């Protein structure tokens, strides 16, 4: 599927995500395609307004009977935080996060959200085993030697055996010919994690592990990594703001009021909601509260509203 957009006397065409896309690792994310490759079967005008402008225009009658209203909401409207910040507080560097991602992406290649959740559990289980050899009050490495001790090796290998036996699909291309390669990759990951302190491992577990982006993203293969998103402290894409519960509640009421007024004049045809948790923007501790507030708004407009949660969503941590 594709669409073309005319704006400022120029035209660009973009390919949309498709369920059956199987991009190769070499393909870079680029939704732009040649205009001639997009066969047009229809056209329609689109106006994009913020919530206040939309309300004013609709109140002034500047919408036709045959026009439709689509409401698009991003949950980071209520606040922006970065999982990176918690890691930085425990002296975990960007380089360490990137190296850990390299280790994990060689080992684990979940192919859907259920497998993603199991892969996250695997890494947490592995870290818990490594932590047994640490002092919880210490800020030094759990294991400084190049070779891990026998008890840690036995425990971590048990984790590998358990998941290879019951969740083999989590691993990257596990074939009979490749199975011998996995112990060395696994042990390298164990040794790398053992360089962290108990407290650092604890915050890594709390941060969690996930794919960099959805499998449905066009022409892009996601990788498994520490779930830090795309908003690092040294170069934030969005400005940070940690809201209070009172702020969120007040803002939800404002949004509800605006959408209700719009819906009274012209019923909303469709609403889309971006969770913005995988890319590391929406404050995690308020995610359920924000999302339940949004769904209540639309349930209030129409008790029979059909709400669909995309299967590619990151499971709530």
């Amino acid at each position: 599927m594709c669409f073309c957009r005319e704006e400022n006397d120029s035209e660009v065409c973009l390919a949309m995500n498709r369920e059956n896309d199987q991009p190769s690792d070499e393909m870079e994310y680029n939704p732009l395609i040649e205009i001639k490759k997009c066969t047009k079967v229809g056209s329609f005008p689109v106006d994009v307004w913020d919530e206040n402008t939309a309300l004013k225009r609709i109140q002034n009658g500047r919408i036709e009977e045959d026009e439709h209203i689509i409401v698009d909401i991003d949950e980071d409207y209520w606040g922006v935080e970065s999982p990176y910040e918690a890691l930085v507080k425990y002296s975990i560097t960007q380089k360490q996060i990137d190296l850990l991602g390299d280790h994990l992406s060689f080992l684990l290649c979940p192919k859907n959200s259920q497998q993603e959740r199991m892969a996250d559990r695997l890494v947490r289980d592995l870290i818990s085993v490594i932590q047994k050899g640490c002092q919880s009050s210490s800020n030094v490495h759990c294991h400084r030697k190049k070779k891990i001790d026998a008890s840690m090796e036995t425990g971590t290998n048990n984790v590998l055996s358990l998941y290879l036996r019951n969740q083999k699909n989590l691993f990257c291309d596990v074939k009979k010919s490749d199975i011998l390669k996995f112990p060395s990759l696994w042990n390298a990951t164990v040794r790398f994690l053992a360089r962290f302190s108990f407290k650092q491992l604890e915050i890594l577990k709390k941060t969690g592990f996930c794919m960099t982006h959805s499998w449905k993203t066009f022409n892009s293969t996601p990788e498994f990594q520490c779930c830090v998103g795309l908003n690092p402290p040294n170069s934030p894409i969005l400005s940070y703001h940690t809201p209070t519960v009172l702020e969120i509640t007040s803002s939800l009421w404002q949004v509800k009021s605006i959408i209700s007024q719009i819906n009274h004049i012209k019923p909303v045809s469709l609403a889309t909601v971006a969770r913005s948790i995988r890319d590391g923007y929406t404050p995690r501790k308020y995610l359920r509260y924000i999302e339940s507030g949004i769904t209540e708004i639309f349930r209030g407009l129409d008790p029979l509203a059909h709400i669909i949660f995309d299967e590619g969503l990151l499971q709530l941590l």
Side-chain angles (χ1 to χ4, degrees), residues 130 143 145-148 184 186-196:
I130 294 172
H143 199 94
K145 298 177 182 178
K146 291 184 178 180
K147 186 176 181 180
I148 60 177
S184 60
W186 178 264
N187 289 334
T189 303
V190 170
R191 287 194 299 271
F192 184 80
L193 285 169
R195 296 174 190 167
F196 291 99

Side-chain angles (χ1 to χ4, degrees), residues 1-4 13-16 18 33 35 37-40:
M1 178 181 176
C2 62
F3 73 94
C4 298
C13 294
L14 302 94
M16 298 294 288
R18 294 171 292 184
I33 59 174
I35 294 176
K37 290 185 178 180
C38 187
T39 303
K40 302 173 190 175

Side-chain angles (χ1 to χ4, degrees), residues 47-235:
D47 291 320
V48 180
W49 303 327
D50 63 34
E51 62 272 22
N52 294 310
T53 303
L55 180 58
K56 290 178 182 178
R57 290 186 176 232
I58 292 170
Q59 287 175 334
N60 293 333
R62 297 179 63 180
I63 184 167
E64 302 297 331
E65 283 295 322
D66 60 346
E67 291 182 321
H68 297 274
I69 295 175
I70 298 174
V71 176
D72 179 55
I73 298 175
D74 198 315
E75 293 183 20
D76 65 18
Y77 173 79
W78 282 270
V80 175
E81 290 183 346
S82 173
Y84 276 99
E85 287 192 299
L87 300 178
V88 170
K89 287 180 182 178
Y90 284 85
S91 301
I92 299 176
T93 66
Q94 178 71 56
K95 184 178 181 180
Q96 287 175 307
I97 296 170
D98 292 341
L99 287 172
L100 178 56
D102 291 341
H103 280 284
L104 296 178
S105 62
F106 278 124
L107 275 175
L108 298 166
C109 296
K111 300 170 184 64
N112 54 55
S113 58
Q114 288 183 329
Q115 289 185 7
E116 179 181 40
R117 198 165 189 172
M118 288 305 301
D120 172 62
R121 184 180 300 175
L122 183 159
V123 181
R124 292 171 192 252
D125 288 347
L126 172 62
I127 289 176
S128 294
V129 171
I130 294 172
Q131 283 181 300
K132 291 179 180 179
C134 306
Q135 294 181 3
S136 59
S137 60
S138 174
N139 291 318
V140 300
H141 302 314
C142 284
H143 199 94
R144 294 190 176 191
K145 298 177 182 178
K146 291 184 178 180
K147 186 176 181 180
I148 60 177
D149 59 49
S151 61
M152 185 182 294
E153 183 176 14
T154 300
T156 55
N157 283 342
N158 286 341
V159 174
L160 174 61
S161 298
L162 175 65
Y163 280 90
L164 276 175
R165 184 168 61 251
N166 299 322
Q167 301 287 341
K168 190 169 74 171
N169 290 336
L170 300 181
F171 296 90
C172 304
D173 297 326
V174 178
K175 303 173 184 177
K176 289 183 178 179
S177 58
D178 295 331
I179 199 70
L180 294 177
K181 298 178 183 178
F182 267 78
S184 60
L185 291 173
W186 178 264
N187 289 334
T189 303
V190 170
R191 287 194 299 271
F192 184 80
L193 285 169
R195 296 174 190 167
F196 291 99
S197 70
F198 183 96
K199 293 179 180 179
Q200 288 177 325
L201 291 174
E202 196 64 26
I203 197 64
L204 284 171
K205 282 200 301 184
K206 185 177 180 180
T207 303
F209 305 89
C210 64
M211 303 304 286
T212 50
H213 50 272
S214 170
W215 298 262
K216 295 183 178 181
T217 304
F218 182 70
N219 277 2
S220 182
T221 303
E223 293 185 344
F224 194 70
Q225 63 167 18
C226 185
C227 207
V228 291
L230 305 170
N231 206 32
N234 56 341
S235 56

